[in-house]
Amino acid sequence: MTWLILSIVLDFGFVQFFKLGERRGYYGPVVVTANYLTVAACVGTYLLVTDQFTFADGAIRTGLITGVLFISALLLMNFALTIAPVGAVLSAFRIAIVIPVGFGVYLWDEPMAPAQLFGLMLTLAALVLMTPRAQEDSRFTGLKGFGLLALVCVWQGLSHTSLRSVHYSGLDDVFLPVLMATGGTAGIIGSLFIASKRHRPTLPAVRLGVFIGAYNAVALCVILTALSKLPGTLFFPALGCSVVLLDNLFAHFYWREHLNRSAVAGVAVAILALFLVV
């Protein structure tokens, strides 16, 4: 349970640093890309210094797949936020935890007690309640909009599932090469995306991305360690619900953002859901 708590705390901090960049008006893809390149650099340096710079075939393959999914999920979410309501996009992004939970039960026979299943349902309800209200002036309409939200949800869920597969692929002992391949792949794709948009990165955005990347290298190591010890049916609902709960409370007390009645109800439901899931 210690690894789960550490994962929650570190992931919460990760969210806050990105929120800081958003509030300062930094271009999201630049921060994300610098983050992943820094993850690859930090992990690669450690592997070189400790004379562990070797890569099993499974580690490279899993890292490449995870890197592609990570960066494409975030770029897809950023695109969705330009044409769809913020609340709808964030709900789809957060509800994606059902994907790795479902794969865990179906593919890997992970346990789920009836109380945990009910807790998962409450988790989803809490995430929706705590998500910001939709923007009325968005261009989000019809089946195309629904398809975009579904794609955001599924793609983010596949990212979580790929990270979860590290354990079931027998790569727990070599997860650092997996992380290096993940960060390198995501960073290269992100760099190509920024170049295609002809966006000139600003130094403050790059600096924040580098700082987040160093932080994220530690956070991902902790998360992968937690996933090697805990079933995904417990880890993902607890992590997702806890981070959004803490984010809402921090937003209210630190960022001075007002919690509406829906968000307050979501906080209460989230607390109950956590008791049932854990």
Side-chain angles (χ1 to χ4, degrees), residues 60-74:
I60 296 176
R61 182 172 58 254
T62 301
L64 289 173
I65 294 172
T66 305
V68 170
L69 290 171
F70 270 24
I71 191 67
S72 57
L74 287 175

Side-chain angles (χ1 to χ4, degrees), residues 34-79:
N35 152 64
Y36 283 126
L37 289 174
T38 303
V39 168
C42 288
V43 175
T45 301
Y46 175 81
L47 291 174
L48 280 171
V49 170
T50 58
D51 197 27
Q52 300 179 61
F53 201 82
T54 56
F55 296 87
D57 290 339
I60 296 176
R61 182 172 58 254
T62 301
L64 289 173
I65 294 172
T66 305
V68 170
L69 290 171
F70 270 24
I71 191 67
S72 57
L74 287 175
L75 292 177
L76 178 63
M77 185 186 73
N78 282 330
F79 167 72

